[in-house]
Amino acid sequence: MNKIIRRAAAAAAAGILLAAGPATEAAAAAPAGAAAVRTDAPAGAARPELPRPTGPFAVGRDTLHLVDGTRKDPWVPAADRELMVSLYYPAVAHTGAPAPYTTAAEARALLTDRGDLARYATPEQIAAVRTHAREGALPRTGHGRYPLIVLSPGFTLPRSSLTVLAEDLTSRGYVVAALDHAYESDGTTFPGGRLLGCTACEQVFPDHALSRVSDARARDVTFLLDRLTGDRPAWRHARLIDTRHIGMAGHSIGGASAAAAMAADPRVAAGVNLDGTFFAPLPETGLGKRPFLLLGGDPALLPPDLEDTSWADAWPRMDGWKRWLTVTGMGHPGFTDWPVLTDQAGAPHPETPLSGTRSQQITRAYTGDFFDRHLKGLPAPRLDGPTAADPEVVFQRS
């Protein structure tokens, strides 16, 4: 079992909630044959490749290091707060160079925490995963400005864990900023060759203070938006961003952070929580009638005898357009790149019975359609109710 699940189990034994995914309000059985069954790929596949993005635009990527000199890091108070940001943008096809998936050091840290996959893939194989983004690509102009979507990963996971979603949203006509929050992943490479590990883990789990994570990330998002949309932006292609249309999505505690960021910053106009427990309550005054999507796994990460009521508690305080959907067979890691990579490595992923292909099809489609509707004003009929095309998706509340 990986670290987050071991910690969740320990928390359950202590009678507290530290898991990352909410249990569904009512179990919903999928129709026969609805959930795709994974097939084993040959062990040791030489060069895994992420699914091709579904939109019409090619994908460029820049990497940005930001330091907030006005704020100390919540986990290492002697240091200023730092972020690593992957900025994805619609690009001119066939320009730039292929973007790496991650560094070997980051991959090694990830595999150390998730030991089962280490039997099937090496850090070098994970680092060599083929992406569809290109570094230094020319930006695609002539289509107006693009809405901005901020992505925040799950606790202990790096920003690369949401690469499939980031590339797909970009291909559909968005600028995407995927964040690594310092000291909150198994290992993230910062300038100077520094590999920063999860110092936060040593603090929040003993103190049961996961809300500190989402609170800090909300402040990270405000700082990021200031640096991307201010008078002297930190990014060379900041002119691509439509500053009037900004959304945020996140996995696990990154999803809870999307709501926290909306509560703290009115510039975030729409949010998506991908299977994340709310460790802090939403404001009693709501989210300013801004839209929010809850997209959860089923089975959830939580043990069946441990109830997580955070989504039910938050639901009445969501005062704008809202949906609560679950995906049968998804499981907590299914919203990340993990099932795609484990399928291609031939490794089992019992936490997510749904295949990597199908889990990513659903994650990309529903997240992308949500932002299309609420940031671009486009129709998104799959969000209106159940569809035969997606029998795994259950509308819990709408």
Short mmCIF file of all heavy atoms in Angstrom, two decimals, residues 3 7 75 106 109-110 113-114 153-160 179-190 195-201 217:
data_model
loop_
_atom_site.label_atom_id
_atom_site.label_comp_id
_atom_site.label_asym_id
_atom_site.label_seq_id
_atom_site.Cartn_x
_atom_site.Cartn_y
_atom_site.Cartn_z
N LYS A 3 1.81 5.30 0.76
CA LYS A 3 1.88 6.00 2.04
C LYS A 3 0.55 6.62 2.44
O LYS A 3 0.14 6.56 3.59
CB LYS A 3 2.96 7.07 1.95
CG LYS A 3 3.28 7.75 3.26
CD LYS A 3 4.32 8.83 3.08
CE LYS A 3 5.63 8.25 2.62
NZ LYS A 3 6.67 9.29 2.46
N ARG A 7 -1.48 5.76 5.86
CA ARG A 7 -1.82 6.79 6.83
C ARG A 7 -3.32 6.87 7.06
O ARG A 7 -3.79 7.10 8.17
CB ARG A 7 -1.28 8.13 6.35
CG ARG A 7 0.23 8.21 6.46
CD ARG A 7 0.74 9.42 5.77
NE ARG A 7 2.19 9.55 5.97
CZ ARG A 7 3.00 10.18 5.15
NH1 ARG A 7 2.52 10.74 4.08
NH2 ARG A 7 4.28 10.27 5.41
N TRP A 75 5.70 24.95 6.40
CA TRP A 75 6.31 23.73 6.92
C TRP A 75 7.76 23.94 7.31
O TRP A 75 8.28 23.23 8.17
CB TRP A 75 6.21 22.62 5.86
CG TRP A 75 4.89 22.61 5.18
CD1 TRP A 75 4.63 22.87 3.86
CD2 TRP A 75 3.61 22.38 5.77
NE1 TRP A 75 3.29 22.81 3.60
CE2 TRP A 75 2.64 22.51 4.75
CE3 TRP A 75 3.19 22.06 7.07
CZ2 TRP A 75 1.27 22.34 4.99
CZ3 TRP A 75 1.82 21.91 7.31
CH2 TRP A 75 0.89 22.05 6.28
N GLU A 106 12.83 12.67 -9.10
CA GLU A 106 11.42 12.73 -8.68
C GLU A 106 10.75 11.38 -8.84
O GLU A 106 9.97 10.95 -7.98
CB GLU A 106 10.69 13.80 -9.50
CG GLU A 106 11.10 15.22 -9.16
CD GLU A 106 10.55 16.24 -10.12
OE1 GLU A 106 10.30 15.90 -11.30
OE2 GLU A 106 10.36 17.40 -9.71
N ALA A 109 11.79 9.08 -6.01
CA ALA A 109 11.08 9.38 -4.77
C ALA A 109 9.65 8.85 -4.82
O ALA A 109 9.13 8.31 -3.84
CB ALA A 109 11.07 10.89 -4.54
N LEU A 110 9.01 8.98 -5.97
CA LEU A 110 7.64 8.49 -6.13
C LEU A 110 7.58 6.98 -5.98
O LEU A 110 6.71 6.43 -5.28
CB LEU A 110 7.11 8.92 -7.50
CG LEU A 110 5.61 8.74 -7.76
CD1 LEU A 110 4.80 9.70 -6.92
CD2 LEU A 110 5.32 8.97 -9.24
N ASP A 113 7.95 5.61 -2.43
CA ASP A 113 6.73 5.69 -1.64
C ASP A 113 5.71 4.65 -2.10
O ASP A 113 4.90 4.18 -1.30
CB ASP A 113 6.13 7.09 -1.77
CG ASP A 113 5.00 7.32 -0.79
OD1 ASP A 113 4.90 6.57 0.19
OD2 ASP A 113 4.21 8.25 -1.00
N ARG A 114 5.72 4.30 -3.36
CA ARG A 114 4.74 3.37 -3.92
C ARG A 114 5.48 2.13 -4.39
O ARG A 114 5.66 1.90 -5.58
CB ARG A 114 3.98 4.05 -5.06
CG ARG A 114 3.08 5.16 -4.52
CD ARG A 114 2.84 6.28 -5.51
NE ARG A 114 1.97 7.29 -4.93
CZ ARG A 114 2.40 8.26 -4.10
NH1 ARG A 114 3.67 8.34 -3.78
NH2 ARG A 114 1.55 9.14 -3.61
N PRO A 153 -2.12 19.04 -7.18
CA PRO A 153 -2.12 17.58 -7.04
C PRO A 153 -2.50 17.12 -5.64
O PRO A 153 -2.63 17.92 -4.70
CB PRO A 153 -0.66 17.22 -7.34
CG PRO A 153 0.11 18.40 -6.86
CD PRO A 153 -0.76 19.61 -7.15
N GLY A 154 -2.64 15.83 -5.49
CA GLY A 154 -2.90 15.24 -4.19
C GLY A 154 -1.70 15.33 -3.27
O GLY A 154 -0.56 15.51 -3.72
N PHE A 155 -1.96 15.18 -2.00
CA PHE A 155 -0.89 15.25 -1.00
C PHE A 155 0.11 14.12 -1.23
O PHE A 155 -0.29 12.97 -1.45
CB PHE A 155 -1.50 15.16 0.40
CG PHE A 155 -0.61 15.65 1.50
CD1 PHE A 155 0.09 16.83 1.37
CD2 PHE A 155 -0.49 14.94 2.68
CE1 PHE A 155 0.91 17.31 2.39
CE2 PHE A 155 0.30 15.41 3.72
CZ PHE A 155 1.01 16.59 3.58
N THR A 156 1.37 14.41 -1.21
CA THR A 156 2.54 13.57 -1.49
C THR A 156 2.78 13.39 -2.98
O THR A 156 3.85 12.90 -3.36
CB THR A 156 2.49 12.18 -0.81
OG1 THR A 156 1.64 11.29 -1.53
CG2 THR A 156 2.09 12.27 0.65
N LEU A 157 1.85 13.76 -3.84
CA LEU A 157 2.02 13.57 -5.28
C LEU A 157 2.59 14.83 -5.92
O LEU A 157 2.28 15.94 -5.51
CB LEU A 157 0.69 13.22 -5.94
CG LEU A 157 0.10 11.86 -5.59
CD1 LEU A 157 -1.29 11.71 -6.20
CD2 LEU A 157 1.01 10.74 -6.10
N PRO A 158 3.40 14.67 -6.97
CA PRO A 158 3.93 15.83 -7.69
C PRO A 158 2.94 16.33 -8.73
O PRO A 158 1.97 15.65 -9.08
CB PRO A 158 5.18 15.26 -8.36
CG PRO A 158 4.80 13.83 -8.66
CD PRO A 158 3.93 13.40 -7.50
N ARG A 159 3.22 17.50 -9.27
CA ARG A 159 2.34 18.08 -10.30
C ARG A 159 2.31 17.21 -11.55
O ARG A 159 1.31 17.22 -12.29
CB ARG A 159 2.79 19.50 -10.64
CG ARG A 159 4.14 19.61 -11.36
CD ARG A 159 4.60 21.06 -11.44
NE ARG A 159 5.77 21.29 -12.27
CZ ARG A 159 7.03 21.09 -11.90
NH1 ARG A 159 7.28 20.61 -10.68
NH2 ARG A 159 8.02 21.35 -12.73
N SER A 160 3.36 16.44 -11.80
CA SER A 160 3.38 15.57 -12.98
C SER A 160 2.27 14.53 -12.93
O SER A 160 1.90 13.98 -13.98
CB SER A 160 4.74 14.89 -13.13
OG SER A 160 5.03 14.08 -11.99
N LEU A 179 0.74 23.02 -10.32
CA LEU A 179 1.59 23.47 -9.22
C LEU A 179 2.24 22.33 -8.45
O LEU A 179 1.61 21.30 -8.21
CB LEU A 179 0.76 24.29 -8.21
CG LEU A 179 0.04 25.53 -8.72
CD1 LEU A 179 -0.65 26.23 -7.56
CD2 LEU A 179 0.99 26.46 -9.41
N ASP A 180 3.49 22.55 -8.06
CA ASP A 180 4.11 21.80 -6.98
C ASP A 180 4.29 22.75 -5.82
O ASP A 180 4.96 23.79 -5.95
CB ASP A 180 5.46 21.21 -7.40
CG ASP A 180 5.38 19.74 -7.73
OD1 ASP A 180 4.64 19.03 -7.02
OD2 ASP A 180 6.06 19.29 -8.67
N HIS A 181 3.68 22.42 -4.69
CA HIS A 181 3.77 23.22 -3.48
C HIS A 181 4.94 22.68 -2.66
O HIS A 181 4.98 21.49 -2.33
CB HIS A 181 2.47 23.13 -2.68
CG HIS A 181 1.24 23.34 -3.51
ND1 HIS A 181 0.62 24.57 -3.63
CD2 HIS A 181 0.50 22.48 -4.27
CE1 HIS A 181 -0.46 24.46 -4.40
NE2 HIS A 181 -0.53 23.19 -4.80
N ALA A 182 5.90 23.51 -2.33
CA ALA A 182 7.13 23.06 -1.68
C ALA A 182 6.85 22.24 -0.43
O ALA A 182 5.94 22.55 0.34
CB ALA A 182 8.00 24.26 -1.31
N TYR A 183 7.61 21.16 -0.27
CA TYR A 183 7.60 20.30 0.91
C TYR A 183 6.29 19.53 1.08
O TYR A 183 5.98 19.09 2.18
CB TYR A 183 7.87 21.12 2.19
CG TYR A 183 9.18 21.86 2.17
CD1 TYR A 183 9.21 23.24 2.00
CD2 TYR A 183 10.39 21.17 2.29
CE1 TYR A 183 10.42 23.93 1.97
CE2 TYR A 183 11.60 21.84 2.26
CZ TYR A 183 11.61 23.22 2.10
OH TYR A 183 12.81 23.89 2.06
N GLU A 184 5.53 19.33 0.00
CA GLU A 184 4.26 18.61 0.11
C GLU A 184 4.19 17.39 -0.80
O GLU A 184 3.15 16.73 -0.86
CB GLU A 184 3.09 19.56 -0.18
CG GLU A 184 2.97 20.67 0.86
CD GLU A 184 1.82 21.63 0.59
OE1 GLU A 184 0.92 21.27 -0.21
OE2 GLU A 184 1.81 22.74 1.16
N SER A 185 5.26 17.07 -1.51
CA SER A 185 5.29 15.88 -2.36
C SER A 185 6.40 14.94 -1.88
O SER A 185 7.26 15.32 -1.09
CB SER A 185 5.53 16.25 -3.82
OG SER A 185 6.89 16.60 -4.02
N ASP A 186 6.38 13.71 -2.40
CA ASP A 186 7.45 12.78 -2.08
C ASP A 186 8.81 13.32 -2.50
O ASP A 186 9.83 13.03 -1.87
CB ASP A 186 7.21 11.43 -2.77
CG ASP A 186 6.02 10.70 -2.18
OD1 ASP A 186 5.81 10.80 -0.95
OD2 ASP A 186 5.30 10.03 -2.94
N GLY A 187 8.82 14.09 -3.57
CA GLY A 187 10.08 14.68 -4.02
C GLY A 187 9.84 15.56 -5.23
O GLY A 187 9.34 15.07 -6.25
N THR A 188 10.19 16.84 -5.14
CA THR A 188 10.08 17.77 -6.25
C THR A 188 11.41 18.49 -6.43
O THR A 188 12.00 18.96 -5.45
CB THR A 188 8.97 18.82 -6.01
OG1 THR A 188 7.71 18.15 -5.93
CG2 THR A 188 8.93 19.84 -7.13
N THR A 189 11.88 18.55 -7.67
CA THR A 189 13.15 19.20 -7.97
C THR A 189 12.96 20.71 -8.06
O THR A 189 12.12 21.19 -8.83
CB THR A 189 13.73 18.68 -9.28
OG1 THR A 189 13.90 17.24 -9.19
CG2 THR A 189 15.08 19.32 -9.58
N PHE A 190 13.73 21.44 -7.28
CA PHE A 190 13.75 22.89 -7.31
C PHE A 190 15.11 23.36 -7.82
O PHE A 190 16.07 22.59 -7.86
CB PHE A 190 13.46 23.46 -5.91
CG PHE A 190 12.01 23.48 -5.55
CD1 PHE A 190 11.35 22.31 -5.20
CD2 PHE A 190 11.28 24.67 -5.57
CE1 PHE A 190 10.00 22.32 -4.87
CE2 PHE A 190 9.94 24.70 -5.25
CZ PHE A 190 9.29 23.52 -4.89
N LEU A 195 16.11 18.57 -4.12
CA LEU A 195 14.96 17.68 -4.15
C LEU A 195 14.25 17.83 -2.80
O LEU A 195 14.74 17.31 -1.79
CB LEU A 195 15.37 16.23 -4.40
CG LEU A 195 14.20 15.26 -4.58
CD1 LEU A 195 13.53 15.47 -5.93
CD2 LEU A 195 14.67 13.82 -4.43
N LEU A 196 13.14 18.53 -2.79
CA LEU A 196 12.42 18.79 -1.55
C LEU A 196 11.37 17.71 -1.33
O LEU A 196 10.50 17.48 -2.18
CB LEU A 196 11.74 20.17 -1.61
CG LEU A 196 12.68 21.37 -1.85
CD1 LEU A 196 11.91 22.68 -1.72
CD2 LEU A 196 13.88 21.34 -0.93
N GLY A 197 11.46 17.03 -0.20
CA GLY A 197 10.53 15.96 0.14
C GLY A 197 9.36 16.48 0.96
O GLY A 197 9.15 17.68 1.13
N CYS A 198 8.62 15.53 1.53
CA CYS A 198 7.35 15.88 2.19
C CYS A 198 7.57 16.20 3.67
O CYS A 198 7.17 15.44 4.56
CB CYS A 198 6.33 14.76 2.02
SG CYS A 198 4.66 15.25 2.49
N THR A 199 8.17 17.34 3.93
CA THR A 199 8.30 17.80 5.30
C THR A 199 6.94 18.01 5.94
O THR A 199 6.75 17.79 7.14
CB THR A 199 9.11 19.11 5.34
OG1 THR A 199 10.39 18.88 4.73
CG2 THR A 199 9.31 19.60 6.76
N ALA A 200 5.97 18.42 5.14
CA ALA A 200 4.61 18.63 5.66
C ALA A 200 4.03 17.35 6.23
O ALA A 200 3.25 17.40 7.20
CB ALA A 200 3.69 19.17 4.55
N CYS A 201 4.39 16.21 5.66
CA CYS A 201 3.85 14.94 6.16
C CYS A 201 4.20 14.72 7.63
O CYS A 201 3.42 14.14 8.38
CB CYS A 201 4.40 13.78 5.33
SG CYS A 201 3.90 13.78 3.60
N ARG A 217 -2.39 26.22 0.37
CA ARG A 217 -2.49 26.19 -1.09
C ARG A 217 -3.40 27.29 -1.63
O ARG A 217 -3.17 27.81 -2.73
CB ARG A 217 -2.98 24.80 -1.54
CG ARG A 217 -1.95 23.72 -1.30
CD ARG A 217 -2.33 22.41 -1.96
NE ARG A 217 -1.33 21.38 -1.72
CZ ARG A 217 -1.29 20.19 -2.32
NH1 ARG A 217 -2.23 19.89 -3.21
NH2 ARG A 217 -0.36 19.32 -2.06
#
